[in-house]
Structure formats: C-alpha cells, structure tokens
Amino acid sequence: MSPSPTSTVFERQQPDEAVVRRALAPTRQAVFWTEDAPGDPYPRLTGDHSCDLAVVGGGYTGLWTALLAKREDPSARVVLLEGRRVGWAASGRNGGFCEASLTHGEENGRTRWPGEFDELQRLGMRNLDEIESTVDELGLDAEFERNGALDVATEPHQVEWLREAEGPEATLLDREAVRALVHSPTYEAGLLRRRDSALVHPAKLARALARACVAAGVEIFENSPVQSIGDGTVLETPTGTLRSQRTALATNVFPSLLRRNRLSTVPVYDYVLMTEPLSAAQRASLGWEGRQGIGDSANQFHYYRLTADDRILFGGYDAVYHYGGRVRSAYEDRPQTFRRLASHFFTTFPQLEGVTFTHRWAGAIDTSSRFCAFFGSARQGRVAYALGYTGLGVAATHFGAQVMLDLLAGRSTERTELEMVRTRPIPFPPEPAASLGINLTRWSLDRADHRAGDRNAFLRTLDAVGLGFDS
C-alpha cells in the first residue's frame, strides 16, 4: 500500500511571506558570475579561413577540446567559433559544482552500466584529478576548491539512501553530526564526500580556459554562429567560412548541426538566487567551515554553495520544460520559482532572516534521456560530438573533450571502448508527446517526494525501459 500524501519540510517550515518579499526586493535579473568576471573580447569570423581542427561552441566542452588539441599537437591550427560570447550560456551560469561523476550519480551509473561502473568511477576521479592538475600547472584563475561535497537528507526516508552510498571516501553523518557541521534545522542526516567534488567560479573558469587557449595558439572568434557544416569540412557563418580537416561540435543545449541529435536532448530550465555577501556574524551562524558544496536528496533537489566573498548561491528544485523545446531568454525570469527558492532558502537557514538576494538568473540544461553525456562521430569520422550532460558537466566536459579528440583521431582508447561512449540515449518524442511526458515525469517526481519516495506506476515504467531519473 502506498504511503499517504505528506508535506515536505519546505512546506512545514515556511518563512513569513514578508521575509521572502524583503529578501527579493533588491534582486535583479543578471548572472552574478559573468558580471564578476567579464571576459576578453574576441573578433568575429570574416572572410575565408582554414584549419586542422574547428571547434563549434565556446563553453567548457569547446574550450577544453581546443586547449587539449593544441597541447597534444602544438603545430595544429585550431579555430574555435562561438555564436555569442565565450562562456555566456551554461558554462558561465551554472552552480560551479565540479563533480567527478561521469554518470550523474552512482545509482544512475550502476543501473545503466553495471559491468563498467567501477571503471567509470575510476575514470571520473582521474578526470577531476587532471582538471585540478591543469588548473595548477597553468595557473588558471578559477577559484578552484577541492573541498568535497555534502549530500543531505531533509526527510526521514532519504536517510537510507545516504546510508546505501556510504563508502571509504564517503562518511555517513547522523542528525546531530550533520547539523554540527552545517547549522540547518532541515537536516536528518548527511553524507560527507571528501575527494570526488570541487567548486569553481564558473565564469572565471571559462575566461581562464579561453586565455589558456589563446596562449597555446588557438584562434577564437565570437559572434560567429555556425549555420551549417556540410560534409564536416566547410563551416558557414553569416560573415565567413571556415574550412577544416576535422570538426568538434560542442553546442550542447542548442539545436544540433547534426539531424541525428536533434531529438536526443531537450532544454530544461534551472533557476538560481545569489545572496549579498554575508556579515561575519551571519557567516559564523552557519558553521560550514569546510565550504563543501551541498545538495539535498529529494527528486526535486536544491544545491547550494559559498562563494569566495561569502555569498550563498541557492538553486534547483524547479526544472521547467517549455513546449517546443526552445531556448529563449524570456524563460529565464520566472517570479514564482524565485519566490519558492527564497522561501526554501530561509527554511534551510532561518538564522539568515534579513539577508537579501542581489542576483537571480536561469539557464537551460541540455538534458538527455539517460541523464548524462553521450558521444559519437559523423560524416565519415570527420565530425565528433559530445552533449547531454544534464546539469553535471562542469568536470565531465573535460572527459567529453578527450572522447571527441580520440574519435577524430581514430584512436581506440579505454574511453572509446566504454559501453557508455559507444551507445546513445533513447531520443525524446516530438511534440506534443515530449511536453506531456516531461511534465508528467516532473509531476510524478514531486508526488514521490510527498510520498516518502514511493514511485508511481509511470515512474516505475520509465525505470523499466531505462528512462528513469535517480541520481
């Protein structure tokens, strides 16, 4: 018999509406990260050019691809084309959680690739180690902090989920221990993960990678959207043409230049608030001396972290798909979601009543039906792609760049031999089925959160066919 409906802690312990209104009053629609770290300008592509490797997309995937290609072969001419500004989309507006997981969490990975999950874990940790090593070696100013992560249970039924994930590098904390670590009355338990997560300043990482690319000899062109790639060797933009021997596609959430990938991802909007810098007293009221990134264990989860100047970024919960799967700036301002996030923030940290938010923003996540990245090649091996990171791509994009370079070089490596790399996700259906299915899934996940995690028949069916979300 299914558990009866119940309220969550965020409904049982809501702050006064006046507290939320005051906190949101000075907030403006702007991305804190990109304001805090304005990028260098790069020219527009004009005229005809040629290169050995063309990279389409100036986010993390494209930047890592260009940088790694140039470090592998300094003599190669590598050109990166960005449709707007380097790092303006997901790479400049995410939460800055740099996670080792390549599979969007243990449960998702073990369910989909049980035979190679341990290998995926090893490669994911090595990938994060390589990022840290590159940041140190090149002196990248990215505010990189290898400080681990804290997963928290905010409802009793979530405690067992954390217990199942306990291991040599992940310590289960009971209610008293987790609340002593970070002072929140919402915590029922915690899982402290020591080495498999880091924090970065997202825009600073993008800016630093772009500068490292230029220093290595990569040519970057902004405001140069690629309209077509033909056979993979002729890239057309509104003002120029680039002829390339090989092409790496790093367009992620935006419509793919390959028809085969156009139903393989959908854009799902995620929303974020950023507080003003905390006072010394406010900061002390939290504990949180380890500065770990924190995420709760609900299906509709929150994530939050401290910045270098002691602001708190608080995001997640609502994940909104709009009919037609379009990416539009109009979708970024959603007052009801920002009010909900602010309410949940003060439920999490009631001692911070009086703190205000300075920035609110949103971004589109390139969501795949397997909830982690997929890879492949096209045009007789002249084109490679990596996309579908589903909100956990800050570190995984480095791995995706390596996979694309392996594929373009025709190399058989431990990466390209993975079943995860050799297989593709189930495509999403066209509209109106996509909108109906995605929104029914979201409703069902919310229902499960209100029923002690019990998944209804619809979610169990998705689980059975490999479309279930459990990260």
Side-chain angles (χ1 to χ4, degrees):
M1 185 173 179
S2 298
S4 59
T6 185
S7 59
T8 70
V9 66
F10 300 103
E11 295 160 332
R12 296 190 299 270
Q13 301 178 21
Q14 293 184 53
D16 291 340
E17 290 185 12
V19 172
V20 172
R21 285 198 304 270
R22 285 195 298 268
L24 289 172
T27 309
R28 57 197 177 83
Q29 189 80 25
V31 181
F32 169 80
W33 303 123
T34 51
E35 281 194 348
D36 192 52
D40 302 321
Y42 299 100
R44 187 190 309 267
L45 183 77
T46 58
D48 290 340
H49 300 259
S50 62
C51 65
D52 298 297
L53 173 65
V55 179
V56 182
Y60 296 148
T61 301
L63 291 166
W64 279 121
T65 302
L67 180 61
L68 293 174
K70 197 66 176 173
R71 299 189 84 189
E72 180 180 308
D73 182 3
S75 67
R77 186 178 182 192
V78 178
V79 175
L80 184 149
L81 301 177
E82 163 56 41
R84 292 179 63 174
R85 296 294 309 282
V86 165
W88 76 274
S91 296
R93 59 181 69 204
N94 62 83
F97 288 69
C98 194
E99 299 270 349
S101 177
L102 301 174
T103 62
H104 211 298
E106 180 174 350
E107 184 65 25
N108 194 49
R110 285 196 184 279
T111 300
R112 298 181 191 282
W113 302 287
E116 66 182 29
F117 179 73
D118 289 344
E119 177 74 355
L120 289 167
Q121 287 287 85
R122 182 186 69 81
L123 290 173
M125 188 65 77
R126 187 178 77 182
N127 181 64
L128 183 56
D129 290 341
E130 289 171 350
I131 293 172
E132 182 175 28
S133 176
T134 303
V135 167
D136 290 341
E137 177 191 348
L138 299 182
L140 302 182
D141 175 18
E143 296 179 7
F144 185 95
E145 301 177 71
R146 187 77 176 264
N147 46 17
L150 179 65
D151 302 331
V152 296
T154 58
E155 301 294 338
H157 71 271
Q158 297 167 6
V159 176
E160 184 58 32
W161 298 346
L162 297 185
R163 184 174 288 111
E164 292 172 355
E166 189 176 14
E169 292 294 328
T171 301
L172 184 69
L173 306 176
D174 64 17
R175 177 193 289 190
E176 290 71 25
V178 70
R179 292 186 183 188
L181 190 69
V182 180
H183 307 331
S184 172
T186 64
Y187 297 166
E188 298 293 329
L191 187 73
L192 184 61
R193 298 185 281 117
R194 294 179 179 82
R195 291 289 299 164
D196 66 355
S197 183
L199 294 176
V200 297
H201 184 304
K204 283 190 175 182
L205 178 59
R207 308 307 185 229
L209 286 173
R211 289 164 187 156
C213 282
V214 171
V218 175
E219 299 168 66
I220 297 178
F221 296 93
E222 293 182 323
N223 299 303
S224 302
V226 176
Q227 299 169 316
S228 65
I229 60 171
D231 66 355
T233 65
V234 182
L235 285 67
E236 299 286 351
T237 77
T239 56
T241 300
L242 179 63
R243 303 177 191 280
S244 177
Q245 296 298 311
R246 299 171 296 154
T247 297
L249 297 180
T251 54
N252 294 310
V253 76
F254 297 97
S256 177
L257 292 161
L258 293 172
R259 184 178 299 276
R260 70 179 68 177
N261 289 335
R262 289 182 185 167
L263 292 177
S264 295
T265 64
V266 294
V268 174
Y269 275 81
D270 183 47
Y271 296 83
V272 175
L273 291 171
M274 183 73 87
T275 72
E276 63 186 334
L278 303 183
S279 69
Q282 289 166 336
R283 179 68 183 83
S285 74
L286 296 173
W288 206 353
E289 296 306 317
R291 297 179 55 83
Q292 300 90 353
I294 300 177
D296 66 44
S297 302
N299 291 305
Q300 292 186 266
F301 60 91
H302 308 87
Y303 56 86
Y304 39 108
R305 47 82 53 97
L306 291 161
T307 66
D309 61 348
D310 284 335
R311 299 169 184 264
I312 298 177
L313 175 144
F314 194 86
Y317 196 79
D318 281 350
V320 181
Y321 173 78
H322 295 275
Y323 188 93
R326 299 178 181 89
V327 179
R328 291 179 172 173
S329 59
Y331 298 152
E332 297 175 19
D333 192 9
R334 197 166 191 266
Q336 65 268 41
T337 291
F338 293 123
R339 287 194 296 271
R340 183 176 294 116
L341 280 175
S343 176
H344 293 181
F345 174 88
F346 289 112
T347 297
T348 304
F349 296 124
Q351 66 270 42
L352 294 183
E353 181 177 328
V355 166
T356 61
F357 300 102
T358 59
H359 297 72
R360 65 182 190 272
W361 72 89
I365 294 172
D366 58 326
T367 303
S368 79
S369 63
R370 69 185 198 181
F371 305 103
C372 60
F374 64 96
F375 320 89
S377 59
R379 307 292 200 270
Q380 290 76 53
R382 291 187 292 269
V383 175
Y385 54 85
L387 68 161
Y389 295 96
T390 317
L392 210 67
V394 175
T397 51
H398 179 272
F399 179 82
Q402 292 175 317
V403 170
M404 284 200 291
L405 293 174
D406 286 343
L407 293 173
L408 290 172
R411 293 189 292 251
S412 177
T413 68
E414 60 183 347
R415 290 182 289 264
T416 62
E417 291 302 306
L418 292 167
E419 182 185 354
M420 176 198 178
V421 170
R422 292 185 289 104
T423 57
R424 289 172 54 86
I426 298 171
F428 290 94
E431 296 291 10
S435 186
L436 290 170
I438 292 167
N439 288 315
L440 178 57
T441 300
R442 185 181 172 215
W443 176 84
S444 298
L445 291 171
D446 180 69
R447 183 177 183 272
D449 284 336
H450 285 78
R451 291 176 173 250
D454 183 59
R455 296 167 80 82
N456 63 16
F458 179 71
L459 291 180
R460 293 195 298 272
T461 300
L462 294 183
D463 293 340
V465 298
L467 292 174
F469 179 66
D470 189 352
S471 66

